[in-house]
Amino acid sequence: MTQVLAKKSRKHAGRWTAAMLPVLAGPALAANGHYVPGVEGIKGALVPPPGVYYRGYLAHYDIDSLRNDQGNKLPQNNTGSVSALVNRFIWMTNKKVLNADYGVEAIIPLQQTTLDFDISGIDRRERGVGDIFVSPMVLGWHGQQWDAVLAAGMWLDTGDYSGTEPASIGKGFRTTMLTLGGTYYPDAAKSWSFSALSRYEIKSKQDDTNITPGDSWLVEWGVGKQLDSGLELGLIGYNAWQLENSKGAPAGKMAKHALGVEGSYFWPSLMLGLNVAYLGEYEVQNGPSGDLLRLTLTHVF
């Protein structure tokens, strides 16, 4: 009887993994869509003043398990990792739109994905340039005790993708991403900050598989305290949900929830900022579960 149940469990898990392959392909740390939760944290909703900026995100995500729709681990050893250098270029102009600073941005990710899923016999590694993001609209408002952002852009299907390659660098579909967020400073010195940054993703059809991933929504948040030395420390986290089932795929909705810490420092003489963050996922449904280590370098030109 035990052997029969074990065989049924492996068979069910195999079906689950096969159904998830088109979704896992590309950045496995993303929650169903393109955007990677956890890359922004303290003051994540702050838009800089007019100028040209570069932000380099060095992220490493360790996959320690695969989770089913109940949040339980799938059997056997299912591990992997995603390492990425994400290059973000921001130009905030001197123009005003709706009384907000207006800017544009582009994101070019370089990525390596390694998957070792015993449950489905997957042992793959791929590297290359991922899907590129372009945004023709970044709006930033600045009040005495608050900041806000509204933006819209698209992830293009520029990265290599194959419906039979779970470690594909690209996603194989395009994503329209809408952004809305704000930061509040409760004290006059702005030493404390409370921020929330939300992303809504609308996906196109994946041509290789005819699957249309369901819309997703996530919120990154941060609570920070800037010390007299200039060092800023705080708690960060993210909550991500797939809001609707993917069309053409039997797998259920994905969800990810994580909690972590962040520290940052800015050197005015160098016009250089550095952020270090660690996040651990404490609840995941229908996807890979793991930890994210992030290093962010910001340069003001």
Side-chain angles (χ1 to χ4, degrees):
M1 184 65 175
T2 302
Q3 292 179 340
V4 173
L5 290 176
K7 288 181 179 179
K8 288 184 176 179
S9 176
R10 287 194 294 269
K11 185 177 181 181
H12 175 74
R15 289 175 179 171
W16 181 91
T17 308
M20 284 300 298
L21 290 185
V23 179
L24 288 174
L29 60 163
N32 183 56
H34 275 89
Y35 184 76
V36 177
V39 295
E40 304 292 352
I42 298 173
K43 298 178 182 175
L46 175 62
V47 174
V52 178
Y53 304 84
Y54 167 78
R55 299 202 82 181
Y57 304 85
L58 184 60
H60 181 77
Y61 179 72
D62 270 322
I63 302 171
D64 56 38
S65 64
L66 295 176
R67 303 281 176 156
N68 62 17
D69 56 0
Q70 301 299 318
N72 299 320
K73 288 184 180 181
L74 294 183
Q76 303 183 60
N77 188 43
N78 304 294
T79 60
S81 67
V82 180
S83 298
L85 173 59
V86 181
N87 302 283
R88 183 182 181 190
F89 304 91
I90 308 167
W91 176 33
M92 296 303 300
T93 71
N94 290 310
K95 296 181 180 180
K96 292 285 187 178
V97 176
L98 300 177
N99 204 33
D101 293 337
Y102 170 76
V104 296
E105 66 173 334
I107 298 174
I108 304 173
L110 307 175
Q111 181 183 313
Q112 175 176 290
T113 299
T114 301
L115 303 179
D116 187 7
F117 297 161
D118 289 348
I119 195 170
S120 53
I122 294 174
D123 185 6
R124 303 292 298 170
R125 174 179 294 182
E126 295 289 333
R127 66 176 63 181
V129 180
D131 293 340
I132 294 173
F133 176 78
V134 291
S135 173
M137 186 190 79
V138 179
L139 301 179
W141 290 269
H142 308 283
Q144 186 173 357
Q145 299 295 132
W146 59 270
D147 294 290
V149 59
L150 174 66
M154 177 171 287
W155 292 94
L156 307 174
D157 52 347
T158 54
D160 288 340
Y161 171 78
S162 170
T164 59
E165 177 52 75
S168 291
I169 298 303
K171 282 285 192 179
F173 59 84
R174 296 175 302 280
T175 296
T176 299
M177 186 170 74
L178 308 176
T179 297
L180 178 64
T183 301
Y184 172 66
Y185 310 94
D187 60 324
K190 295 186 177 182
S191 64
W192 283 95
S193 65
F194 299 87
S195 64
L197 182 68
S198 65
R199 313 276 196 179
Y200 190 90
E201 293 183 286
I202 305 168
K203 296 95 176 182
S204 67
K205 181 185 290 186
Q206 213 169 32
D207 292 335
D208 278 22
T209 64
N210 288 322
I211 291 174
T212 303
D215 291 0
S216 56
W217 179 59
L218 68 88
V219 177
E220 295 174 287
W221 56 269
V223 179
K225 169 64 177 178
Q226 188 166 26
L227 308 179
D228 293 338
S229 63
L231 179 65
E232 191 165 22
L233 302 172
L235 295 175
I236 59 175
Y238 59 77
N239 305 90
W241 302 269
Q242 182 180 343
L243 301 180
E244 58 183 8
N245 290 323
S246 299
K247 297 178 182 178
K253 301 174 184 177
M254 295 182 70
K256 282 176 172 281
H257 306 278
L259 185 65
V261 293
E262 180 177 325
S264 65
Y265 191 83
F266 185 78
W267 291 268
S269 60
L270 301 175
M271 300 300 282
L272 198 68
L274 183 66
N275 298 60
V276 180
Y278 168 81
L279 294 114
E281 292 177 334
Y282 59 85
E283 183 179 348
V284 173
Q285 295 175 328
N286 280 315
S289 176
D291 302 322
L292 175 66
L293 180 63
R294 168 176 54 83
L295 181 67
T296 305
L297 181 69
T298 302
H299 179 57
V300 183
F301 291 95

